[in-house]
Structure formats: structure tokens, C-alpha cells
Amino acid sequence: MDELKTFTALELARLMRKGRLSPVELARASLDAIERENKEINAVITITGERAMDQARRVEKRLLAGEEISPLAGVPIIIKDNILVEGVRMTCASRMLENYIAPYDAGVVEMLEKAGLVIVGKANMDEFAMGSTGETSIFGPALLPGNKDYCAGGSSSGSAAAVAAGMALLSLGSDTGGSVRVPASYCGIWGIKPTYGAVSRYGMVTHASSLEQIGPMAKSGADLVALLELCAGADWRNATSVGLPSSGSYDEPPQINILKIAVPQELTEGCTSGVHDVFWGCVEKLKALGARVDTISIPELRYTLAAYNVISCAEASSNLSRFDGIRFGLPGVGADFEERIRNSRGQGFGREVKRRILLGTYVLSEKQYESRFLKAREAARRIKEALEAVMSEYFLILCPTTKTTAPCLGQDLEPETGVCNFDTNTAAANLTGLPAVSFPFGADEKGLPVGLHLMGSAFQDRFVISAAETICHEVSL
Amino acid sequence: MSWQIDVGLEVHVELNTASKIFCSCSTAFGAGPNSLCCPVCTGHPGALPVFNKKVLEYAVRTGLALGCEIADITFFDRKNYFYPDQPRGYQISQLYATVCRGGGLEIDGPGGSRLIPLIELHMEDDAGKLVYGENGELYIDYNRSGVPLLEIVTAPELHSDWEVSAFLEELIGVLRAIGVSDCRMQEGSMRVDVNLSVRRKGESLGTRTEMKNLSSLRSVRQAIRYESKRQIEILESGGNIENETRRWDEDRGISLPMRAKEEKEDYRYFPDPDLPPVKISRELLETQRGLIPELPRAKRRRYMRDFMLPEQDCRTLTADISVAKLFEETVSLGIPPLEASKWICGDYLRLMKEGAGEHMTAEKLARIITMVSEGMLTRANGRQVLEALFYTQGDPDKYAEEKGLFRIDDRNAVEKAVREIMENFPVQVEECRAGKQKLMDFLMGQVMRKLEGRGDPSLIMSLLNNAIFQDKQ
């Protein structure tokens, strides 16, 4: 069954509504594809076959009865393994949670299952979503489909690789500094970090509460927006969620000649020649087609990574404190509870997670709080002001998602070089809460996919995706 | 050399909202272990706190009652530390923008009244409870985890054990009157940490210790006496006070160091990114202001002024709002305040302490008091009616009638009883005549007994007197 590779999710859902394709068959095809590809790609940690077949049969029955469920009913989806699905193991790709069975459903899982989507598996990822190559997973990295010397990127490594490899048509990742967009870019698919608060975080394992969002991933812009519609919404169980109000006429795909796009030079420096050529080629073509594209400078962006590292590690150090092996997680052995907690955390967490916890603990300590943590928050505030000022003049900010294409295995294992060189272009969207999409655009000289990154104003997520679609369809090199 | 004691209190009060502060679990006390918890209050991955606005209402009401400045915007901070009863690895508390600041509570003492200034009020969640098994194994009950707490922090301006005690009694009165907490120290719904230092008069504040585990007002007073004496002895012998946390050992009556100084924790406070700042509207402020009844101290002063009752009576009557209500209603039914106060402070409150009787109403109490003062019932029988109707429903007149408690006014019946007693106790009568006054009481008691306690004491007395001394002549 090749449908998984040739059709988009919306197209398949339409076939199912018309009775020309069975949700049960599609689910089976998806599970078969996982069975076939996963040995090499390593995108999926846990396969939820039984649950998927049950859901597919239910959806099939309802569709046959003529019920309107949702535009994506019956479509298989893979969920990052830091999002809880009741009764299913959730590992966060960590030894700490290797045997943790989720006691409840995440908000998005509830919404997706209600919309008739079929969860076929839990995706590989960097341990606790900390990493940009997928290599901090205790299950080993997910590999780039089609070229297995390369990483799929991270931290939503499996979510990206699974869609690129045709195991499923849709996936959910989570994005704290670029964790949806970076692997989407490397794997040549679409991924969005929604506006902060658009999607409920209830039931997603918290890494850095103020920065992260669950992000849809798909093979097309139309699929991406359809999945976002289903995920978005205010959830009373997540106090920071507000949902995604309609932004009106901005939701329509824009004409290319009305687009006003800013390109911050800070985000285009240091690219590999392959990425550089694809990106500037696109810019020239856009201009030729009548779009206004200005290269500008936003000096505040130089503080993005520093501020991101301080804030994300600070929040992570506190958020990961609940993993002490007492109520759940890897039990620690010891004479007293202090020793038990120490052993649980010492053995349960990997090196990168520990490094970030230590860094976060340091910047929150009484002596560093003002000079590090508060300063980082002030930097984030100024970056937000600067981006909002740019947004008042331009609709969108365009840059390459990453400065390189997918890295070879083994490049991220030198922590002394910095926490996340991979997130230079993506982290600003997390610091400011703005929506940002990564979409596939061409390839470098090695044939590896290049991703472009489009950031828009708060709550204009749909517009950002449709503008990306316009660029994708009308600009070709 | 004269010493001054400086005490500041951190009072943790469990608010009696129906559900917990960050989830919808019940706050009921005494349920089976770990029966009232959910992913949020046990810190499961992905579970997020959602603020219960009822807690804000209670905190604001308390702040208004204590004259605090109420914040326009308040938010929560995380206090990070590891402990098995703390499921998230951090407590959600307030440091940078507490819900209330300043304010104070006036206490009355022998030297007049004094305002004890408060520093702040803040909201936070309670931790679970550690329970040790028979073989020393440790169990954790998370039912208490997430129960809302209000921490009330005073300035170090209390200077003696009785001042602290008076402050806490006054505070308990206020919190109960406004209905935010039952303040039961034994059950742990009110917990007091005592920060204490001593200094020679005229010097600046000394180094303080913090004392925990104080489970009653009595142990608070004892602990203050013990700790101040301990500190003075150290300083007088040339030593230094360690800034440390100490645990009060109730059984031994001493305080012991709890944590060593080198383990002083850095709690790494920072604003909780899962909880957006909370705005406090004018509307909420006014609604809460409207829910504050007359507070115990104001009531007490009114009682002293309007009813001219002794201060101790007023204190007793105003300590519990339902008692004060009963008193005022009884007085409004025409009972003299002093009489009503005697009955309530005495028999009624004794019964209240013994058990949960809830059938007494002002109407019944007024009727009983009237029957006694009009002589229909002896005081002892009046007390019996009160006790009976405290536990069961019923009408005072009917009950007295059924039990035959009404006073015997029949002169002949009393005379008959007197005669019988005189015949039964001839020796005692003789000795009484000989001047042994004590035996008069004995004979009097015998007559009363004969009359089943229903005789009129003055009538018995006069008839007995006549019988003994007239017969002699």
C-alpha cells in the first residue's frame, strides 16, 4: 500500500470519508511501514498497534454511518514520547522513565482521538527533549530517512523521521528552542512551533514551561494547518493556554506580491554554502516575483542563544525535580531518602540532562539569580520588543531554519561547544512566543533537504503557514 | 543585666476551601491514605497546576481583616528543594509579589493594647505527610499535598510568651470569624514557627533561631520560655547564637537543632512559569470586604461597653462566632447580659467542649434561665434541663414537667420532709442545737434530697430553722 507515500493526510481522509479507503487498512499499512522501516530509522520507541486498530475500527464504523468526525479522521499519527497517552508507556527516551505507564491522556491526545486520528506509535526523541540531533536518546538516534549516515535532528527526531519515512502522515513533536523545526528542516518536512498558548501543554512532560509548545509536523502546509486546527484550543488544565483565535482574512494564502518580508542578517551569517545558496536564491526569486524582501539588522538577536540557554536550563532544573524515583521512575537504592533520590537521578538521567540541570541550578542560585536569570529574562523581553517592532512593518521574518543541513552522527557529543548551536535561528520564536514554521525548500549539494524558517505575529499561525505555502508553490529555483 | 526577647512568627494556616489550591481534589481531613490525590498533587509528569480562585478570595478576605495592603497583581514562585513529601521537588509559594503586605493585629494586655505589625501574607501549597510504620519504614500520604496554606508573617515585635499567646488567640479568633480556617493546631490546620532572638536592652536585634513542631499554644509558650532562657545563658557565658532551625521536643520540653548550619539550603526561588500572574479586581476586593463580620476584638470591646461584662467573659463569649450569636440572641430575648453570660460561659461552654450538641437555641436557653430566676427550677435542675436539651431536641417546660423537676412550692410537703429528716437524724439535730453550725448544712442537704432536689432552698432553710430552734424552746 503506497498511499502513505503518495497522498497527503487530507487527501487520504477524503478518500476514507468517501468510503474508498478503509481506516483499518490504512492503520495496518502504517503499522506495517513502521515494522519495515523502524529497524533502520529508529523513529519509534513504542508501537501502539492494538490501540490503533481499535481506534481505526471505531472510526471506520462511524464513517460508514456517515458521521462527520473531522477533516483528518482515520489518519495515522505518531506522538512524541514526552506526551502522555493513557495506559501506554512514556519514556521521554530516558532511563528514568523506561517503565513509566502514563496514567492519563494529554490534552492534545484527547482532542486528536476525538477527531478520529489513529495513534500508531510513540516517537523517539532526545532524552527529555534535550538535544538537537536525537543522539541523547537512550534508544539511540533516529536516522535521516534515505541517508543513514546522518541524524534526523532533534529533539523531535522520531516525529520528523517517521513522517519523512512514510510510517505515518502526521506527527506531533514539541518545541522548546527549535525541537520541531530543526528536525523538520533536516528531514525535509513541515513543522510549526505554534504561538505560545495556542496548544495545551497539559500532559506534555515539561522541559521549559515558558518557552515550549507541542508542534504539529506533516508533509504539506495544508496538512500542517489542518492538524494545528485540531490541536489548538484553550484547556482549563493548562493555565497558560489561550487557544488560537481566528485571524480573519490573514488566514487565506496571500499573493506573493503583497508579502513584506524581513531578513535579519544576524540569522543568515555562518551558513554552509549549500544552505546559503538555496536561501539567497529564494530571496532573489521572491523579489523577482514582486515581494518586498529587505535585509535588516536586529542586533538584539545576538543574545538569543545566551538568554535561551539560561532560561531553558533554569526552568528545566526545576521541572525535572519531580523525577526522584519515589512515586514513579527509576527507583534509587539507598539507606535514606537523600541517597535514594541521589541514586535515582544519578542513574536515571543521561549526561546532557544532568549538564542542563546543573547549569539551571547554578543560574537560579541566590548569588546568580539577578546577574544571570533576571538578565536573561530582560534580554528575552528586549528581543520580543525588537521583533514586534519589525513585525509592525513586515508581515514575516524569513531565514534558513538551520545553518547547515542534517549533521553526521556523532557531532553533538562535545558539550563544551555549547548547548545548542543548532537552535541559533529557531530559539527567538520560543523566547518571544511568536509562531514559526519550517518548510522544505530545495536541497544542498549533497542532496540533503534545506528548510526555510518563517516567523509571524502572535496568533497568526495560519497565515504564517499559508504564506510558506505560497513561497513553496510559487518560488522554484 | 536585663534582656529583651524578640519574637517573629510564621503562622501557616490551612484554608478550608473544598478543593486543593492547584487541582480539584478534596481537602477533607482524615480520609484513607492517598485516596484524595491526582496526577497534579502527586507531581506526575505533564500535570500542571491550575489556581483555585477560592483561595485568592480567602487570602484577600484575611488580608482585609488584618488591615493589609492588597496587591493589584500577585504571582507564584517556586521554592526548590528535595523531600519525599514534596512531590514536585518544589513548593509553589510566593516571594516576589505576595498577595498581601503590611497590616497588623491589635492585642490587649495588662499594659493596654498594642498593634503587632505584619510583614506579609502569602499563599502556598501544603506538602504530603510522612508516616513511619512499626518497623521504621516510611510511608507517604499525599492527601495533604496541595491543601491551600496561607502563611502569615509577623514583624519580630512580640516580646514575651504571653504576648505571642495573646496574638495567636486573637488571630485564631479573626480567622474563625471570617470563616477561612478552623485553626486546629492539634490537627495541624494551624502551624506556628517561632523565630526568636534575645538582646540586651538598647542593643540591636540579636541572632535568631527558628523553632518548628509546635502543636499547641501551650507548647508555643513553653518553647519561648525555654529557648529564650537557653539563648540568654549562652550569651551570658560569652557564647554565640547559631542561626539555625530547631525542633521543639514536646515530651522532653526542650528544643533541639534540626539542620546543621552548613546545610543551609538555597531554595532558588523564581516565578512559576506554569501559573500566569493573577489580577485582583476592585470587585473581588469589595465582595470580600462585605463578607467580614464584626471581628472578635471589636465585639469584645462592644460587649464590655454595652453589656458591662468583665473582660474575661467578653473574651470567652467572642472567641467563637456561634457562641457570640447565642449570647446576643439570648440577651435580645430579655435575659440580663450578666445572667446570660454566666450560663453560656459556664455550663454551655463546658457542654460544648464535651461533645457536639447542636440543639440548644437562644429561645430554649432564655426559657431555662427565666425558669431558674423565677424560682420554678433550682439552679441545679436548670442545669439538668440545659444538658438534656443540649444533646436532644425538646421543649424546656415539657422536659421539666415530664421529669418532675419543677420546684415544690407546697409548704406542707416541705414541712413533712423536714419533720421526717428530724426524726431520722435525732443525734445530728441535737448537736446542731448545741451550736454545731456545720450540721445545719447536712440536714439541709438531707431535706433537699428527700425532695429530689426540687425544694426551694430558702423555704427549707427557714422551716428547718424553725423546727430545730423553736422546738427547743
Side-chain angles (χ1 to χ4, degrees), chain A residues 84 100 104 201 203-205 209 236-240 315 318-319 321-322 326-328 337 345 361 364-366 369, chain B residues 39 42-48 50 78 80 82-84 87-90 96 142 266 268-271 273-274 276:
Chain A
L84 283 87
Y100 181 74
Y104 67 98
R201 293 190 289 117
M204 172 187 63
V205 178
S209 316
W236 68 269
R237 296 164 299 185
N238 171 197
T240 59
E315 291 185 9
S318 175
N319 283 329
S321 294
R322 67 186 58 204
I326 289 177
R327 296 163 312 286
F328 50 81
F337 72 81
R345 292 168 69 80
T361 303
L364 284 178
S365 65
E366 226 171 276
Y369 183 73
Chain B
T42 51
H44 269 265
L48 298 168
V50 179
R78 291 186 184 178
N80 295 283
F82 288 105
Y83 208 74
R88 268 184 250 96
Y90 56 85
Y96 297 115
Y142 291 101
D266 181 340
R268 309 187 309 280
Y269 277 99
F270 76 107
D274 287 327

Side-chain angles (χ1 to χ4, degrees), chain B residues 100-154:
Chain B
C100 307
R101 283 187 182 285
L105 185 60
E106 249 179 303
I107 60 169
D108 297 312
S113 66
R114 209 159 76 74
L115 181 78
I116 307 303
L118 302 178
I119 294 174
E120 62 172 48
L121 263 60
H122 66 253
M123 305 176 282
E124 58 190 22
D125 61 349
D126 209 343
K129 208 182 259 175
L130 300 184
V131 184
Y132 288 89
E134 283 170 13
N135 304 313
E137 68 274 32
L138 180 58
Y139 296 99
I140 314 172
D141 181 0
Y142 291 101
N143 283 356
R144 201 180 67 180
S145 169
V147 167
L149 290 179
L150 194 63
E151 183 172 332
I152 300 162
V153 185
T154 78

Side-chain angles (χ1 to χ4, degrees), chain B residues 224-464:
Chain B
I224 289 171
R225 285 196 294 271
Y226 175 88
E227 180 61 15
S228 52
K229 191 162 159 257
R230 189 188 72 88
Q231 290 191 12
I232 290 169
E233 274 168 10
I234 290 174
L235 292 172
E236 283 187 337
S237 61
N240 286 313
I241 305 299
E242 298 263 346
N243 179 358
E244 63 185 355
T245 303
R246 299 176 71 85
R247 190 176 63 84
W248 177 247
D249 187 321
E250 179 87 56
D251 298 332
R252 292 199 277 169
I254 57 173
S255 71
L256 298 161
M258 212 155 103
R259 299 185 196 117
K261 197 183 172 189
E262 61 270 19
E263 285 174 50
K264 190 170 180 276
E265 290 204 57
D266 181 340
Y267 290 117
R268 309 187 309 280
Y269 277 99
F270 76 107
D272 192 324
D274 287 327
L275 290 160
V278 181
K279 281 195 186 106
I280 300 174
S281 68
R282 283 269 129 226
E283 233 178 304
L284 184 139
L285 225 62
E286 290 319 313
T287 313
Q288 293 308 311
R289 205 190 297 281
L291 292 172
I292 298 174
E294 183 183 32
L295 296 177
R297 185 168 180 273
K299 205 185 274 288
R300 196 161 73 228
R301 294 174 84 82
R302 178 164 64 82
Y303 281 16
M304 287 165 70
R305 193 181 62 231
D306 293 358
F307 300 129
M308 294 193 290
L309 295 174
E311 188 186 347
Q312 191 48 51
D313 278 25
C314 297
R315 215 172 254 286
T316 311
L317 289 171
T318 55
D320 183 321
I321 200 144
S322 69
V323 174
K325 194 164 161 264
L326 181 71
F327 169 74
E328 289 189 32
E329 284 174 7
T330 307
V331 170
S332 76
L333 289 167
I335 305 299
L338 191 62
E339 199 63 23
S341 168
K342 262 190 215 155
W343 279 86
I344 293 174
C345 294
D347 297 303
Y348 180 76
L349 284 179
R350 178 178 52 78
L351 289 168
M352 282 275 280
K353 259 179 215 147
E354 282 166 9
E358 52 218 29
H359 297 293
M360 191 42 60
T361 63
E363 285 74 20
K364 291 181 199 175
L365 180 61
R367 181 63 193 145
I368 295 168
I369 297 174
T370 306
M371 289 195 289
V372 172
S373 62
E374 286 180 355
M376 294 164 70
L377 289 178
T378 61
R379 188 161 175 103
N381 283 344
R383 201 174 285 148
Q384 190 189 327
V385 178
L386 176 72
E387 192 164 336
L389 299 188
F390 187 81
Y391 293 108
T392 54
Q393 262 173 332
D395 175 72
D397 285 272
K398 260 190 208 149
Y399 182 83
E401 181 72 54
E402 276 166 23
K403 298 279 166 185
L405 297 177
F406 282 123
R407 202 166 67 186
I408 296 167
D409 287 328
D410 182 353
R411 198 182 170 91
N412 293 334
V414 179
E415 270 173 354
K416 185 167 165 257
V418 168
R419 255 197 319 278
E420 278 177 32
I421 293 302
M422 293 198 36
E423 279 161 19
N424 291 349
F425 298 96
V427 182
Q428 283 84 348
V429 171
E430 270 317 307
E431 284 184 23
C432 190
R433 284 196 182 119
K436 263 200 171 171
Q437 195 54 39
K438 256 192 188 164
L439 283 168
M440 192 66 189
D441 294 343
F442 168 77
L443 293 168
M444 170 92 193
Q446 291 301 321
V447 177
M448 191 58 114
R449 197 185 211 174
K450 191 99 209 157
L451 295 168
E452 292 171 319
R454 295 151 62 200
D456 175 351
S458 58
L459 181 63
I460 299 173
M461 182 60 92
S462 84
L463 290 181
L464 202 55

